[in-house]
Amino acid sequence: MHPAFSVVFFTTATGAGYGLLALLGVLGGFQVIPPDFWLGFIGLGLALGLIAAGLLSSTGHLGRPERAWRAFSQWRSSWLSREGVASVITFIPAGLFGIGWVFFGRTSGWVAIAGLLAACGAIVTVCTTGMIYSSLKPIAQWHSRYTLPAYLIFSAMTGSVLLNALLQGFALSSKAILVACVLLTLLGWGWKLATWRYNDRLEIATNANTATGLAGGTVRSLEWPHTEENYLLKEMGFRIARKHSARLRQIAQLLAFALPVLLLAIVFALPWPFAAALSVLAVIVQFAGMLVERWLFFAEAKHTVTLYYGR
């Protein structure tokens, strides 16, 4: 699979998980939602489960997964390392928050502080994930002002839709949260359209001449530096036909944004349990759409190194 599905699933799952964790930490910490045992058990279990599943899937992308721990030592200079450190640290207040909520039946006092710290950790971790890609200057489609906010918006969007489904399932529906879901999904849709518009009009000044430093003519590649495709060509030089890209963009918009907005709008007029069923369906549809959107995020990006291969 080019790009690697492990990374696509990682960014999608952890984004939704951290978004849900942050919302539970804030709303639980301020006693906006009740400290119900099953709500806390399932909600925090789902959030931490998505995060853990995403982090574990990312190790499948490594050539030597057993050496993944070494990345934590480069936190001074590497956003990837900072992401790993932040994700581990976030588990500490999240665990304390979960213990207080599930085992002690409270979200006040020290439990509220733990919840708010977990929310802060979730936001910081999502920021570090976004900065991994935003800081890569050789990939112009990522090195823009749209990348980092997109990670935060999509995390809040998917997390809010998850939270709404949870509350609907426990007959604790909130009109305010439902409205927030719709608005965040519309914001995510608009931001994605703006990103695509920016990328489609992107003019990259770098070419084979400037990359090699040669002048006096047009530089062209006679043959590849090696006989087989390498990592960069497979995952950062992936070529996708324009017609396929357009079709996948339509699918991503339909599943990740349009259908969830429609389903959530219908939820306003439905009684329980129909509202709960449609809310769960919105989660499933949006998650599938975000997998397509994330795949495009990687597939449409081009690394400058491809210039050396005549692309």
Side-chain angles (χ1 to χ4, degrees):
M1 173 78 63
H2 308 307
F5 182 75
S6 59
V7 178
V8 173
F9 179 79
F10 159 70
T11 55
T12 305
T14 54
Y18 281 121
L20 178 58
L21 176 61
L23 289 171
L24 287 172
V26 172
L27 298 179
F30 286 107
Q31 286 80 57
V32 177
I33 54 179
D36 179 80
F37 171 82
W38 287 110
L39 176 61
F41 183 78
I42 296 176
L44 288 171
L46 181 60
L48 296 178
L50 283 170
I51 294 169
L55 292 173
L56 288 175
S57 72
S58 68
T59 62
H61 184 63
L62 303 176
R64 300 294 294 272
E66 70 275 8
R67 297 180 180 176
W69 63 271
R70 294 184 178 180
F72 290 88
S73 64
Q74 306 302 314
W75 58 270
R76 294 180 182 84
S77 58
S78 168
W79 283 107
L80 178 63
S81 182
R82 292 165 187 163
E83 177 198 41
V85 173
S87 64
V88 171
I89 292 176
T90 301
F91 271 100
I92 298 173
L96 293 174
F97 182 55
I99 291 172
W101 186 338
V102 174
F103 293 101
F104 295 99
R106 55 180 294 191
T107 54
S108 58
W110 65 269
V111 182
I113 295 174
L116 295 175
L117 289 175
C120 292
I123 295 171
V124 169
T125 305
V126 172
C127 286
T128 57
T129 303
M131 284 303 300
I132 292 174
Y133 304 101
S134 180
S135 64
L136 295 177
K137 294 182 179 180
I139 305 178
Q141 291 84 358
W142 295 351
H143 188 63
S144 76
R145 62 182 181 275
Y146 291 96
T147 301
L148 177 57
Y151 271 84
L152 291 170
I153 292 170
F154 292 153
S155 182
M157 177 186 76
T158 53
S160 66
V161 174
L162 268 172
L163 178 62
N164 173 69
L166 277 170
L167 295 179
Q168 292 285 354
F170 286 92
L172 297 171
S173 60
S174 169
K175 296 294 184 183
I177 291 177
L178 194 53
V179 169
C181 290
V182 174
L183 293 178
L184 284 170
T185 302
L186 290 174
L187 174 61
W189 194 355
W191 195 264
K192 190 72 250 185
L193 290 174
T195 303
W196 282 332
R197 181 184 178 88
Y198 172 81
N199 287 342
D200 291 343
R201 296 184 174 184
L202 191 62
E203 295 183 3
I204 303 175
T206 305
N207 52 43
N209 286 68
T210 60
T212 57
L214 300 175
T218 301
V219 175
R220 61 186 179 91
S221 176
L222 295 177
E223 60 181 15
W224 282 18
H226 42 73
T227 58
E228 297 180 357
E229 286 195 344
N230 58 11
Y231 164 79
L232 286 173
L233 286 180
K234 287 181 178 180
E235 302 196 11
M236 294 187 182
F238 181 75
R239 289 181 291 185
I240 179 172
R242 185 181 298 273
K243 64 177 182 179
H244 294 156
S245 178
R247 178 62 59 84
L248 288 173
R249 286 186 180 187
Q250 293 173 350
I251 293 173
Q253 290 183 73
L254 178 65
L255 296 179
F257 309 112
L259 277 179
V261 167
L262 177 61
L263 291 170
L264 293 170
I266 296 174
V267 168
F268 277 101
L270 291 180
W272 191 90
F274 302 105
L278 277 189
S279 295
V280 172
L281 181 59
V283 169
I284 297 172
V285 169
Q286 188 172 75
F287 192 86
M290 288 307 299
L291 287 175
V292 178
E293 187 278 330
R294 288 292 87 185
W295 190 90
L296 277 172
F297 174 77
F298 291 100
E300 292 182 327
K302 297 295 180 290
H303 198 288
T304 308
V305 76
T306 58
L307 290 172
Y308 291 99
Y309 298 87
R311 294 187 180 180

